[in-house]
């Protein structure tokens, strides 16, 4: 898709070699530097608070709501603007909300297209299937809107029209630090891609977390108690100068347990074997493509006790220490525990995405109580049987309906 559309910078971002390094370096510093990421927290928290107000109006479409909320939060740090698409009672640009909805539909088709043999045959013959055309049209809409927003920002920067919030945004810092080897058009492509990628990846994590919290009310109440004690009604930004993981250990345990039981990404890493190797008695010839299956590993009853139960307590420090030296310690390895992968090829927005999830879950659970909707029969199924669709990420499909009540 990127190659056909002439989006060469994005095409190289998904390859290897000098092109990948050049374009990756152009966007990653301001997304991965811990101090820079913490600097985005106040804006993200403000966007999260605004978005949370709309949750009660979206109980029947929480997947759409969460996608819009993630767009709002990322746009705030990226552009320094409050988009307000998540709360239906707040005026917002209809094109932004439409982009979020279109993107969810387009990304849902990516993996099915990759897996269907007829799609590969059609590509080889230079043809486009109806599914590919539908995906293509969806991405066209999303990239057109994202590039418009980025280009508008760049032009207003040139004329000195940026607001104070926009001056401290991620895009402004990237523009300021852009090297001569990256052209303005290429930078626009990369920044637009980050905006597009910010919607479904993090929203899928939120979707599964809310499902797990609604199915486990005792866990939800324990989490609410921690948030009330530590935040006292304030946002995550009040802990900006502290370690979020140390201050809110149970929140992080809830996020980790949701990633174990209902991962948004089933495959964390895909590598091609450089030379013939032996792995546990299996011979892998040179060129073999190897994928790490997170779902199977983290839900193996031989290494995970009470494997089908949602137990955030299993991630307490003493539990992690107790697994050392056993087969179960594999689930504590960073490549298994991090939904955004690790190493040089990990998601460049991993730190930001993690903070978005922490920030928004904290805001939602402080503001609302989430329960299964009594008239939605899908809540009666076991968590293993909740239907999902595997697009770029795993999304509940359909998203169950919630009963949402305000916290007093």
């Amino acid at each position: 898709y990127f190659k056909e559309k002439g989006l060469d910078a994005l095409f190289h971002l998904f390859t290897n070699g000098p092109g990948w390094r050049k374009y990756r370096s152009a966007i990653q510093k301001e997304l991965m530097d811990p101090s820079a990421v913490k600097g985005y927290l106040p804006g993200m928290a403000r966007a999260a608070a605004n978005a949370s107000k709309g949750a009660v109006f979206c109980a029947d479409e929480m997947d759409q709501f969460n996608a819009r909320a993630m767009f709002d939060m990322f746009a705030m740090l990226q552009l320094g603007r409050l988009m307000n698409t998540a709360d239906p009672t707040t005026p917002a640009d209809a094109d932004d909300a439409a982009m979020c909805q279109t993107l969810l539909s387009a990304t849902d088709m990516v993996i099915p297209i990759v897996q269907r043999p007829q799609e590969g045959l059609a590509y080889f013959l230079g043809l486009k299937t109806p599914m590919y055309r539908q995906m293509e049209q969806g991405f066209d809409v999303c990239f057109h809107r994202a590039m418009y927003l980025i280009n508008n920002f760049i032009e207003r920067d040139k004329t000195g029209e940026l607001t104070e919030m926009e001056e401290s945004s991620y895009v402004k810092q990237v523009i300021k630090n852009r090297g001569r080897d990256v052209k303005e058009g290429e930078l626009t492509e990369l920044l637009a891609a980050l905006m597009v990628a910010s919607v479904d990846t993090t929203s899928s994590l939120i979707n599964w977390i809310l499902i797990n919290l609604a199915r486990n009310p005792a866990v939800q109440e324990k989490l609410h108690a921690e948030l009330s004690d530590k935040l006292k009604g304030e946002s995550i930004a009040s802990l900006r100068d502290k370690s979020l993981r140390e201050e809110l250990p149970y929140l992080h345990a809830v996020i980790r347990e949701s990633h174990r039981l209902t991962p948004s990404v089933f495959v964390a890493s895909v590598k091609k074997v450089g030379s013939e190797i032996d792995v546990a008695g299996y011979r892998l010839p040179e060129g073999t493509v190897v994928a790490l299956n997170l779902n199977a590993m983290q839900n193996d009853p031989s290494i995970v006790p009470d494997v089908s139960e949602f137990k955030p307590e299993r991630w307490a420090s003493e539990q992690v220490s107790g697994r050392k030296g056993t087969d179960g310690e594999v689930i504590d390895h960073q490549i298994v525990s991090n939904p955004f992968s690790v190493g040089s090829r990990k998601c460049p927005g991993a730190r930001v995405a993690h903070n978005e999830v922490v920030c928004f879950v904290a805001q939602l659970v402080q503001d609302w109580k989430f329960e299964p909707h009594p008239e939605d029969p899908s809540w009666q199924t076991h968590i293993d049987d909740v239907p999902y669709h595997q697009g770029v990420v795993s999304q509940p499909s359909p998203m169950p309906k919630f009963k949402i009540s305000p916290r007093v």
Side-chain angles (χ1 to χ4, degrees):
Y1 172 83
F2 294 144
K3 194 171 184 179
E4 181 182 301
K5 299 296 178 179
L7 302 173
D8 293 335
L10 291 182
F11 174 76
H12 283 292
L13 198 61
F14 288 87
T15 61
N16 298 301
W20 170 79
R21 283 191 292 271
K22 179 176 78 169
Y23 295 122
R24 171 88 178 202
S25 298
I27 60 173
Q28 72 176 8
K29 180 181 177 183
E30 290 79 6
L31 284 176
M32 301 185 73
D33 179 71
S35 60
V37 172
K38 277 205 168 186
Y40 302 137
L41 266 181
M44 288 169 54
R46 183 177 174 188
N50 282 9
S52 180
K53 296 173 185 176
V56 71
F57 304 106
C58 304
D60 292 352
E61 53 159 21
M62 284 301 291
D63 52 345
Q64 298 287 336
F65 166 78
N66 289 328
R68 295 192 298 269
M70 293 303 99
F71 169 76
D72 288 352
M73 292 179 69
F74 191 77
M76 183 62 181
L77 76 90
Q78 189 182 33
L79 300 175
R81 286 177 54 189
L82 286 169
M83 299 305 209
N84 295 323
T85 65
D87 179 10
T89 67
T90 303
D93 194 313
D95 288 339
D96 294 334
M99 183 183 82
C100 296
Q101 184 171 359
T102 303
L103 182 63
L104 289 182
S105 299
T107 54
D108 273 353
M109 288 178 267
V110 172
I111 297 301
I113 286 176
V114 171
Q115 293 177 335
R116 293 173 65 188
Q118 59 266 43
E119 297 289 341
L121 177 61
Y123 178 80
F124 178 77
L125 296 174
L127 304 174
K128 294 182 179 180
T129 65
M131 179 179 282
Y132 183 89
R133 289 187 182 279
Q134 188 178 352
M135 182 200 72
E136 179 184 42
Q137 291 168 3
F139 278 127
D140 285 350
V141 169
C142 296
F143 274 100
H144 181 270
R145 180 60 182 172
M147 287 186 178
Y148 166 79
L149 292 171
I150 299 299
N151 281 321
N152 177 265
F153 184 102
I154 292 173
E155 291 306 312
R156 290 190 303 107
D157 179 46
K158 291 177 180 178
T159 56
E161 299 177 50
L162 298 184
T163 66
E164 184 178 347
M165 286 197 303
E166 289 172 328
E167 287 286 353
S168 61
S169 69
Y170 163 72
V171 172
K172 174 62 178 180
Q173 304 314 307
V174 171
I175 292 173
K176 187 189 304 182
N177 298 325
R178 175 170 65 95
R180 293 181 179 180
D181 60 333
V182 178
K183 299 175 183 178
E184 183 178 296
E186 294 173 329
L187 189 62
T188 300
E189 287 179 28
L190 298 169
L191 294 173
L194 286 174
M195 180 177 289
V196 170
S198 70
V199 176
D200 72 318
T201 49
T202 42
S203 69
S204 66
L205 287 168
I206 303 291
N207 291 340
W208 289 113
I209 289 168
L210 292 183
I211 288 174
N212 285 313
L213 288 176
R215 295 175 71 99
N216 297 273
V219 171
Q220 186 176 170
E221 292 311 306
K222 185 174 179 178
L223 174 58
H224 181 261
E226 177 183 82
L227 296 171
S228 299
D229 177 56
K230 294 292 185 177
L231 298 178
K232 297 177 171 55
E234 299 294 323
S235 73
I236 284 287
S238 63
L239 301 178
R240 176 181 174 181
D241 298 326
K242 300 179 181 180
S243 166
L244 297 182
R245 191 174 297 275
E246 291 178 5
E247 292 294 317
L248 300 169
Y250 198 67
L251 172 58
H252 283 82
V254 165
I255 295 171
R256 176 66 186 94
E257 179 68 348
S258 187
H259 172 54
R260 180 197 70 81
L261 187 61
T262 49
S264 295
V265 179
F266 283 7
V267 177
S269 181
V270 179
K271 299 289 183 182
K272 185 178 288 188
V273 175
S275 59
E276 181 178 310
I277 60 172
D278 184 281
V279 179
Y282 292 90
R283 185 181 65 84
L284 303 181
E286 178 183 347
T288 301
V289 177
V290 180
L292 178 63
N293 187 330
L294 289 180
N295 186 52
M297 186 184 302
Q298 298 188 99
N299 289 281
D300 183 345
S302 69
I303 61 175
V304 181
D306 305 318
V307 69
S308 294
E309 296 184 30
F310 189 77
K311 286 187 172 183
E313 290 75 13
R314 74 175 84 240
W315 306 108
S317 57
E318 60 271 17
Q319 294 287 328
V320 174
S321 297
R323 285 193 289 271
K324 290 188 181 299
T326 72
D327 290 344
E329 72 174 338
V330 67
I331 65 174
D332 299 311
H333 193 285
Q334 60 177 338
I335 201 171
V336 178
S337 62
N338 193 329
F340 302 102
S341 195
V342 295
S344 61
R345 303 290 302 202
K346 78 174 182 180
C347 171
R351 286 186 186 275
V352 166
H354 174 75
N355 278 1
E356 282 183 312
V357 174
V358 169
C359 187
F360 197 49
V361 172
Q363 188 67 55
L364 288 174
V365 175
Q366 282 193 102
D367 292 345
W368 309 102
K369 181 177 181 179
F370 294 87
E371 299 174 275
H373 195 289
E375 296 178 6
D376 186 342
S378 66
W379 288 103
Q380 305 304 315
T381 61
H382 189 272
I383 187 63
D384 292 341
D385 299 320
V386 172
Y388 67 91
H389 176 79
Q390 185 66 48
V392 171
V393 290
S394 170
Q395 294 277 14
S397 181
M399 183 73 172
K401 298 178 181 179
F402 288 81
K403 177 185 175 183
I404 302 178
S405 310
R407 294 279 184 178
V408 178

